[in-house]
Amino acid sequence: MITPTPLMRLVAGVWGFKTLAVGVELGLFTWLSRRRTATVDEVAAQFGLAERPTDMLLAASASLGLLEKAGDGYRNSELAEQFLVEGRPYYFGAQVRYSDLRTYLPWHRIEEALRTDRPLTWDPRVQKSMFDTTDPAMLAQFWDAMYSTSRFTARALAEAYDFGAHRRLLDVGGGAGAFPIELCRRLPGLTATVLDLPHVCERAEERIAEAGLGDRIGTVAGDFLADPELPGGHDVVLLSMILHDWDERTNRTLLARCHAALPPGGAIVVCELLLDDDRTGPPEAALMGMNMLVETEGGRNYSGAEYATWLADAGFVDVRTVRFDAPGANGAVVGRRG
């Protein structure tokens, strides 16, 4: 018998997210990592909470797979220990914070976005894009979130696609450099260039220096939407979590520039949360598409078949899709310049 229980699970989705977000904001998982285990009373004392809300928070966190019961206390689950403890290589808390502080409240006005077809997190009437802002704190949150999401996604991509066949990577819209850093750490023969806006390149240079890869990863300040050409001298171009920000016309123009920038035999890698070809899922791609309604003017999530068509039309051959599981992408559409 069909029941409304699946609908109730959807209703409760926001409760789960906010439970995760408040745990990250408190620093609960980082503190528990140092303590190993803690009772309700110990957690309450640490964070200045009463017993009742502390008990509810810990029980809810355990129900979500973030904590585990250990005798009379709680400890981090493997998931929380790996991804919610500050300082871990693939710390994901920055993405949680950004979503909570930047997009959560605008999502409450989703009907407005549906009716106006305009973003909710910035105003196109006074800004050129979501990156055109005088709020440095918001930009810092955004780039930290993207770095948080991109590092593990880069690791998953590296396992699905052989970058070892390439020598020089151009990361278009590469942000703080998570993909080149991860890939160059794995492949000693690879060098890379991050192409992004000047203030973003500054942030990338900081991350690259921290990783000790300044001799292998460089930056080029530019605007891939406005510049008539992309930097040459690379045998693979990466577009990771870029094309879902823009409409089809913009994306086709960018792919043509990528084709022109590559030598014969050079490769392109489009890494995204891909919709199924029938546009019925998976949820992570379809819901990211809804988030593009909140955050962009023309963005949406596309299917692998759509990307394959655009790549072929731009002149790429041997187009194929590789699949993997990561927070920022579930696959990559790759092609070669003939």
Side-chain angles (χ1 to χ4, degrees), residues 68-101:
E68 297 173 349
K69 200 71 187 292
D72 293 332
Y74 291 85
R75 65 188 175 205
N76 283 342
S77 67
E78 183 178 357
L79 180 69
E81 190 66 23
Q82 290 297 317
F83 302 116
L84 296 177
V85 176
E86 291 192 66
R88 296 285 185 186
Y90 299 107
Y91 176 64
F92 196 70
Q95 178 65 64
V96 177
R97 280 200 178 101
Y98 175 81
S99 298
D100 190 33
L101 298 174

Side-chain angles (χ1 to χ4, degrees), residues 94-328:
Q95 178 65 64
V96 177
R97 280 200 178 101
Y98 175 81
S99 298
D100 190 33
L101 298 174
R102 171 75 172 175
T103 63
Y104 174 73
L105 287 179
W107 260 91
H108 285 63
R109 296 157 41 221
I110 188 65
E111 184 179 353
E112 177 186 333
L114 287 167
R115 293 191 180 280
T116 64
D117 194 19
R118 290 201 335 225
L120 302 176
T121 55
W122 59 281
D123 189 348
R125 294 170 297 185
V126 297
Q127 295 171 252
K128 292 181 180 180
S129 75
M130 64 178 292
F131 308 109
D132 176 26
T133 177
T134 57
D135 183 356
M138 187 283 290
L139 281 179
Q141 290 169 1
F142 176 81
W143 293 118
D144 285 348
M146 293 305 97
Y147 194 85
S148 177
T149 301
S150 295
R151 287 202 63 185
F152 192 88
T153 303
R155 171 178 151 181
L157 174 62
E159 293 172 354
Y161 177 79
D162 181 16
F163 282 91
H166 305 296
R167 289 291 175 263
R168 188 155 180 79
L169 167 77
L170 176 64
D171 189 357
V172 177
F179 274 82
I181 289 170
E182 187 71 24
L183 295 173
C184 286
R185 276 177 169 163
R186 288 169 168 262
L187 299 165
L190 185 69
T191 61
T193 303
V194 174
L195 171 66
D196 218 311
L197 299 172
H199 67 275
V200 183
C201 285
E202 293 175 6
R203 198 162 190 86
E205 289 162 5
E206 293 173 1
R207 294 283 194 177
I208 292 164
E210 290 171 3
L213 290 169
D215 59 333
R216 294 174 55 201
I217 305 174
T219 65
V220 172
D223 184 341
F224 62 77
L225 293 180
D227 297 344
E229 297 179 347
L230 300 180
H234 304 86
D235 63 352
V236 58
V237 171
L238 174 65
L239 293 162
S240 178
M241 299 179 281
I242 295 296
L243 298 186
H244 70 225
D245 285 337
W246 314 103
D247 60 22
E248 178 178 342
R249 180 179 178 182
T250 302
N251 289 336
R252 282 180 175 273
T253 299
L254 180 54
L255 292 175
R257 289 176 184 158
C258 293
H259 186 271
L262 283 166
I268 188 168
V269 179
V270 176
C271 180
E272 288 280 359
L273 283 169
L274 302 172
L275 279 171
D276 297 336
D277 291 348
D278 65 1
R279 303 186 68 80
T280 60
E284 56 269 23
L287 292 174
M288 179 61 81
M290 287 289 286
N291 196 52
M292 292 303 97
L293 185 63
V294 172
E295 291 243 59
T296 72
E297 278 194 282
R300 65 174 76 188
N301 278 56
Y302 301 96
S303 68
E306 288 174 291
Y307 286 128
T309 297
W310 301 349
L311 287 171
D313 290 347
F316 291 98
V317 298
D318 299 332
V319 178
R320 60 191 175 91
T321 299
V322 295
R323 294 284 184 173
F324 52 88
D325 179 27

Side-chain angles (χ1 to χ4, degrees), residues 30-48:
T30 300
W31 181 76
L32 276 176
S33 181
R34 296 193 296 264
R35 281 293 300 264
R36 300 301 180 188
T37 64
T39 65
V40 171
D41 289 343
E42 289 169 336
V43 174
Q46 170 64 24
F47 295 102

